Amino acid sequence: MRLPRSIRFSTTNSLVLIIVITLAFVLLIRRNFETHGAASSHYGGHVERFQIWETMKQMISVPKHDEGQQFTMRMTTERMSLFTQKMMRFQSLEVKVNVNVKDPSLFDHTTIKQTEDASDRYLNKGHNKTTPESLSPIITKNRERNLTAIGNDLAFRTSLVEKECQRLSVFGTPDNAVRDIMTNMATKLAYCYIPKCGCTFWKRVIRFLNGDYAGRNVTSPSHIRRIETHSSAYSNPNTFMPFNVYRKLSKRFNSFMFVREPYARLWSAYVDKFYLPDFWSNFQAEIRSRRSPSRASRCVSDVTFPEFVSLSLETQEPHWDAMHQACDPCTFQPSAVGRVESFASDSSYILHRANLSWMMDGYDHDAHVQEELTTLINYNIELVAVKPYIGKCISKVGLFLRLWKAFQINGYLPANVKPPPLFRTTTTAEFTKIVLDQYRSRPNTPEVWRKQRKRFMIEAYKTLPSRALHAVRMKYTRDFILFNYNPRPDEIFGNRQ
């Protein structure tokens, strides 16, 4: 007897579904064993597993008119999703455990020796390097669990970037979309840097690994001065590798980049470069030409945020250009895309994969902030000597007051606390001590400081006319799409049309 067509169709689909699930299971198990070695050293393995899942969903799609089958298939895909997630988590755990040892498939003997040499430079100066062997089993397990979660976040984020690149490919790629790549041959790290996205930290790391700093006895990346990090010449040719050379070698590297929420990045550029004096001399002529005659002769030490935004919309400069113009991920094709919003955890994971976990061992946020405060004070004071124009526009006491306010804007100091009396005789060391003492005595939690920092930014964006705000949104459109940031956050746009 011939079965009704609806039953035959349902039976056929059930058989196909069973075959698909079986094949998926075999593929994932097989990949777990095949990628346990060399292939697991690349972040891209996570992305491929996401692609497998997307392909599976497409294979089992059914016509929309059959609501009964739609429900059955939806329930099946949900179960498959949970199964796939568990398999991915299992594979990720295997990868993390494998990376903990000096696997020859991840690092050749030269890599191990050179990374140990860098580690020894750190240890020989009395620093404690905490290794997994010296940690308790509970701490080690928690660390592995945290690294697994961070790795999965990075993999998911990178897979989203890859998908958006495929969608945007019809519009072409911007010209000169990737600058020279910072590399370290020993650890196989390749970093495409974007200003205002944590690049000072990673430039220091690459310089330190390459021994690319002045003749001083540096024992840690943080010992390389900020002004030297950005301004000193590079002596090691591998520190910056031309992209056309890197492209031919890219499969040998663990490549990465960091991005940041575009509105926060633009605001940070203003505070660091125009509220503080770094770019006053660079753009004095441009700013004066935009001002009325009554203000044109003044120093440009009073640039407002609306003035800066207008300038940023009409000039090109890496600190406020769109991020994809400095490093287009569709061209660079990074293994990992980190975010400033999760900078410490993302950086820890990348260093861990490069066998450099010791660089973040004993990381203390308070110590990091105090080092950052000290660095910014010294950097801005040194600018006065490097750029004489600054000294003509602001006194030392005036610069101290600007720094105090900038630290409040960045959430390091309480917004309602005024600095003690400062004098011409106040030294940089004395001012630094005042700042650090105030930071250490802060009564609030990190969440309160984040809210304070965000509050300053929101208030600044309220001063922009609607036309300028929408122009900013349009300028960073591709960044919003590529890196999955909200182009119209409510706290900034409010009820603006």
Side-chain angles (χ1 to χ4, degrees):
M1 182 177 69
R2 190 175 179 83
L3 294 171
R5 183 183 177 191
S6 61
I7 296 177
R8 282 187 282 116
F9 181 78
S10 177
T11 304
T12 302
N13 271 275
S14 297
L15 290 171
V16 171
L17 199 56
I18 292 170
I19 293 171
V20 169
I21 295 173
T22 304
L23 286 173
F25 180 83
V26 172
L27 284 171
L28 289 168
I29 292 296
R30 183 181 177 185
R31 179 161 183 76
N32 179 55
F33 286 98
E34 289 182 348
T35 64
H36 192 70
S40 67
S41 67
H42 199 275
Y43 305 94
H46 294 279
V47 176
E48 291 175 19
R49 291 194 281 277
F50 278 99
Q51 291 173 341
I52 290 173
W53 169 235
E54 290 296 325
T55 303
M56 289 164 60
K57 288 198 294 186
Q58 293 174 10
M59 290 172 64
I60 62 173
S61 61
V62 297
K64 292 184 178 179
H65 64 268
D66 192 332
E67 295 180 0
Q69 280 189 312
Q70 279 284 309
F71 176 78
T72 302
M73 290 296 186
R74 186 168 63 251
M75 293 298 292
T76 305
T77 56
E78 287 173 0
R79 292 191 185 99
M80 289 175 66
S81 175
L82 291 173
F83 162 77
T84 308
Q85 289 172 10
K86 290 179 180 179
M87 286 300 302
M88 286 168 56
R89 184 167 180 80
F90 171 76
Q91 290 180 335
S92 297
L93 284 168
E94 290 293 309
V95 169
K96 302 307 174 299
V97 173
N98 186 46
V99 171
N100 246 347
V101 300
K102 293 175 180 176
D103 188 330
S105 66
L106 301 184
F107 304 98
D108 57 25
H109 295 293
T110 303
T111 296
I112 294 171
K113 184 180 187 309
Q114 292 189 13
T115 54
E116 286 179 342
D117 287 345
S119 175
D120 289 341
R121 291 206 306 273
Y122 183 80
L123 285 173
N124 290 337
K125 294 301 174 183
H127 298 281
N128 279 325
K129 174 187 170 186
T130 306
T131 60
E133 289 78 12
S134 67
L135 299 173
S136 69
I138 295 176
I139 295 175
T140 303
K141 181 178 286 189
N142 289 339
R143 182 178 184 180
E144 291 298 336
R145 188 181 297 116
N146 290 337
L147 286 169
T148 298
I150 296 166
N152 289 340
D153 287 344
L154 278 168
F156 179 69
R157 196 181 306 148
T158 306
S159 71
L160 291 178
V161 171
E162 288 187 349
K163 290 177 183 177
E164 295 302 339
C165 283
Q166 293 174 1
R167 294 172 186 165
L168 292 171
S169 61
V170 296
F171 300 105
T173 301
D175 295 333
N176 302 319
V178 179
R179 64 177 76 239
D180 293 346
I181 306 301
M182 298 192 76
T183 62
N184 175 250
M185 300 300 290
T187 59
K188 302 299 185 291
L189 285 176
Y191 171 49
C192 188
Y193 80 91
I194 301 173
K196 302 307 303 172
C197 294
C199 68
T200 300
F201 172 84
W202 281 107
K203 281 187 174 183
R204 280 172 165 168
V205 168
I206 300 296
R207 274 187 179 270
F208 179 75
L209 292 173
N210 287 338
D212 202 339
Y213 43 80
R216 297 176 298 107
N217 193 12
V218 174
T219 61
S220 168
S222 63
H223 293 166
I224 303 174
R225 294 181 304 148
R226 185 186 182 99
I227 199 164
E228 181 184 339
T229 300
H230 294 289
S231 303
S232 295
Y234 294 89
S235 58
N236 189 324
N238 288 325
T239 298
F240 272 105
M241 183 181 292
F243 183 68
N244 61 336
V245 176
Y246 166 78
R247 189 194 292 269
K248 299 174 184 177
L249 306 173
S250 60
K251 292 184 179 179
R252 302 181 187 179
F253 287 92
N254 282 328
S255 56
F256 66 99
M257 61 188 291
F258 273 80
V259 297
R260 186 177 191 174
E261 201 281 324
Y263 295 109
R265 177 171 174 260
L266 185 64
W267 169 241
S268 178
Y270 167 71
V271 174
D272 282 359
K273 305 303 177 185
F274 285 93
Y275 184 76
L276 294 176
D278 200 352
F279 277 13
W280 289 356
S281 57
N282 305 49
F283 286 89
Q284 57 168 314
E286 182 72 27
I287 293 170
R288 282 175 173 173
S289 67
R290 296 164 174 269
R291 290 182 164 181
S292 63
S294 62
R295 296 184 66 206
S297 61
R298 299 180 186 175
C299 283
V300 295
S301 56
D302 58 347
V303 177
T304 65
F305 185 56
E307 265 188 300
F308 164 72
V309 169
S310 177
L311 176 72
S312 71
L313 292 171
E314 299 176 22
T315 59
Q316 289 188 321
E317 212 289 330
H319 289 82
W320 54 77
D321 286 344
M323 290 181 286
H324 73 271
Q325 291 178 315
C327 182
D328 180 51
C330 307
T331 303
F332 179 50
Q333 298 180 348
S335 306
V337 179
R339 283 189 170 192
V340 169
E341 293 80 14
S342 52
F343 188 81
S345 58
D346 290 352
S347 296
S348 294
Y349 182 82
I350 292 169
L351 289 170
H352 172 77
R353 293 298 298 267
N355 212 29
L356 295 169
S357 294
W358 55 270
M359 282 193 176
M360 294 292 282
D361 282 345
Y363 172 83
D364 180 82
H365 179 69
D366 282 344
H368 166 74
V369 171
Q370 292 178 62
E371 191 273 332
E372 179 71 7
L373 293 171
T374 304
T375 295
L376 285 171
I377 292 170
N378 291 331
Y379 176 74
N380 280 276
I381 294 297
E382 288 173 353
L383 283 176
V384 177
V386 177
K387 301 179 178 181
Y389 175 84
I390 295 173
K392 297 176 182 178
C393 294
I394 193 170
S395 66
K396 185 172 69 171
V397 172
L399 184 53
F400 286 160
L401 293 174
R402 287 284 181 108
L403 284 162
W404 186 276
K405 183 66 175 180
F407 297 152
Q408 291 176 321
I409 290 171
N410 288 326
Y412 297 143
L413 301 180
N416 59 345
V417 174
K418 295 181 179 180
L422 301 170
F423 308 97
R424 286 186 298 175
T425 55
T426 303
T427 65
T428 302
E430 289 170 342
F431 176 70
T432 301
K433 184 179 184 304
I434 292 169
V435 170
L436 295 181
D437 287 345
Q438 182 60 61
Y439 171 76
R440 295 185 189 110
S441 65
R442 70 200 189 292
N444 295 322
T445 63
E447 182 60 30
V448 172
W449 298 113
R450 280 192 289 271
K451 289 180 179 179
Q452 176 177 308
R453 184 165 60 243
K454 192 170 186 177
R455 186 169 66 251
F456 273 108
M457 183 185 74
I458 292 170
E459 290 301 316
Y461 273 101
K462 286 180 180 179
T463 65
L464 294 184
S466 294
R467 178 180 295 181
L469 187 57
H470 287 290
V472 170
R473 177 174 60 87
M474 293 303 295
K475 176 176 181 175
Y476 298 117
T477 295
R478 192 177 178 105
D479 285 351
F480 289 123
I481 295 171
L482 282 169
F483 306 122
N484 195 31
Y485 286 110
N486 182 6
R488 288 182 60 96
D490 291 339
E491 61 268 20
I492 288 178
F493 278 80
N495 297 322
R496 299 200 203 199
Q497 297 300 319

